[in-house]
Amino acid sequence: MEIKRITFPDRHLVTDLFNKYRIFYKKPSDMKLAESFIADRLRNDESVIFLAFEGEEGAEIPIGFTQLYPKFSSGRAIKIWVLNDLYVEEGHRKKSVGNSLIKAALNYAKSDGVSLVELQTAVDNYTAQSLYESMGFVKQDADSEFLGYQIEV
């Protein structure tokens, strides 16, 4: 497995996974929307995407991704990265793919001079909660749908 940051020219590599991510969160499948959304984020430098690949160079298959968005805190006068999306193909779960993607995101945040990464997950996504907590994320507030986490990097 290899983790790479993708840019606008490689946006097509994450589109199918992004669509599956949305389906996981009970949104209708819409490849055109997925393509457009990812293209806009990357074209406008509004997010950072890391993609996990399996296979040999030239025959790499995307198996998971994470997407980060910048956020700013005026009170703290800091930049924060929000780990907004994390998705791993069903057949590749529980094989450290999610862990590797999160580590890549945290390393990127640290290299960008950011000291805090936030995320949210569904209150009933216990697998994700267990992963985040095992990596040192600290549980924050919750509402009826989502549970927040933070980690200092």
Side-chain angles (χ1 to χ4, degrees):
M1 178 186 53
E2 186 177 0
I3 307 291
K4 295 180 185 175
R5 180 179 174 186
I6 64 162
T7 57
F8 182 76
D10 296 321
R11 66 195 177 279
H12 64 282
L13 296 172
V14 73
T15 302
D16 183 55
L17 292 171
F18 182 72
N19 190 55
K20 289 177 181 177
Y21 168 80
R22 293 186 69 253
I23 292 168
F24 179 83
Y25 279 103
K26 301 182 180 28
K27 303 297 182 202
S29 177
D30 189 335
M31 286 299 289
K32 195 171 189 177
L33 174 87
E35 290 171 13
S36 173
F37 187 85
I38 293 296
D40 287 346
R41 298 300 69 76
L42 293 173
R43 180 186 307 109
N44 298 323
D45 249 353
E46 295 172 339
S47 74
V48 172
I49 298 175
F50 289 96
L51 199 52
F53 293 93
E54 180 180 76
E56 301 294 318
E57 186 73 35
E60 296 171 321
I61 301 164
I63 59 171
F65 82 99
T66 190
Q67 184 165 210
L68 299 158
Y69 294 104
K71 175 181 167 182
F72 299 90
S73 170
S74 297
R76 295 182 193 171
I78 62 170
K79 180 179 180 181
I80 298 167
W81 279 105
V82 178
L83 195 155
N84 204 71
D85 310 329
L86 176 67
Y87 180 80
V88 176
E89 287 275 27
E90 196 168 336
H92 296 277
R93 294 178 187 160
K94 304 218 185 244
K95 296 180 180 177
S96 296
V97 177
N99 187 295
S100 295
L101 285 163
I102 292 169
K103 283 181 182 176
L106 296 178
N107 287 337
Y108 175 79
K110 191 172 186 173
S111 73
D112 190 43
V114 171
S115 60
L116 189 65
V117 174
E118 297 179 339
L119 64 83
Q120 287 187 327
T121 192
V123 293
D124 61 351
N125 191 346
Y126 304 113
T127 301
Q129 291 170 31
S130 176
L131 172 62
Y132 300 140
E133 290 170 17
S134 75
M135 297 191 72
F137 281 85
V138 178
K139 207 179 287 189
Q140 303 295 305
D141 56 347
D143 60 29
S144 60
E145 287 184 72
F146 294 100
L147 183 60
Y149 283 89
Q150 288 183 342
I151 190 169
E152 289 187 26
V153 293

